[in-house]
Amino acid sequence: MSNYNTKENIIMEKSKAFALRIIELYNYLCKNKKEYIIAKQILKSGTSIGANVKEAQCAQSKKDFTAKMYIAFKEANETEYWLELLYESDYMNDFEFDSIKNDNEELLKLLTSITKTMKNQ
């Protein structure tokens, strides 16, 4: 299944870059805001997106690949929830929230496209 289409390469790059942003956010929240609970949750879900995308590259079948990508989609959806909580509880300002939320929405769109394409094949 590995590297069979361009969307797959893009999602790998973007999910890894997003995970690095999430790690930075986690460190910022812990160090500067003394927020540990939600920070840990968003660290888990936000880095899990890329981990599942990477795992999908070694899928044993199209069904397995689609399942891993769908898990990545669910993790991105959960990450959106944690981002909203951080924003609505004033741990993030408008600029910080909009920037990372846009990246997460882009991942959600890519993952939706990939999973729909795979299910229709």
Side-chain angles (χ1 to χ4, degrees):
M1 302 268 76
S2 184
N3 298 325
Y4 78 95
N5 91 29
T6 305
K7 282 184 188 167
E8 206 175 310
N9 294 328
I10 292 169
I11 194 66
M12 284 184 61
E13 292 170 17
K14 290 189 179 289
S15 61
K16 186 174 185 179
F18 185 76
L20 292 169
R21 284 196 74 186
I22 289 293
I23 292 167
E24 287 178 28
L25 176 60
Y26 171 79
N27 288 331
Y28 166 78
L29 290 168
C30 290
K31 184 177 179 180
N32 298 338
K33 301 287 189 173
K34 306 298 183 213
E35 163 41 55
Y36 304 100
I37 305 301
I38 298 173
K40 187 71 169 182
Q41 293 289 352
I42 200 164
L43 178 67
K44 288 179 181 180
S45 65
T47 57
S48 182
I49 301 164
N52 280 288
V53 168
K54 182 72 172 175
E55 194 172 338
Q57 305 313 301
C58 297
Q60 296 174 335
S61 64
K62 285 184 180 183
K63 185 177 178 180
D64 186 31
F65 176 86
T66 304
K68 296 293 184 214
M69 287 296 193
Y70 189 71
I71 292 169
F73 169 81
K74 291 181 359 180
E75 294 292 343
N77 200 46
E78 179 182 338
T79 300
E80 181 178 63
Y81 175 76
W82 297 123
L83 288 170
E84 289 169 356
L85 283 183
L86 287 167
Y87 176 67
E88 292 172 23
S89 59
D90 294 325
Y91 282 106
M92 298 175 79
N93 64 37
D94 291 347
F95 177 77
E96 293 163 337
F97 175 70
D98 289 343
S99 174
I100 200 162
K101 185 177 188 300
N102 287 339
D103 285 354
N104 193 59
E105 286 175 350
E106 188 176 359
L107 289 174
L108 282 166
K109 288 175 186 173
L110 284 166
L111 289 163
T112 298
S113 176
I114 290 168
T115 54
K116 281 184 178 179
T117 298
M118 293 304 293
K119 285 181 181 179
N120 292 333
Q121 287 185 351

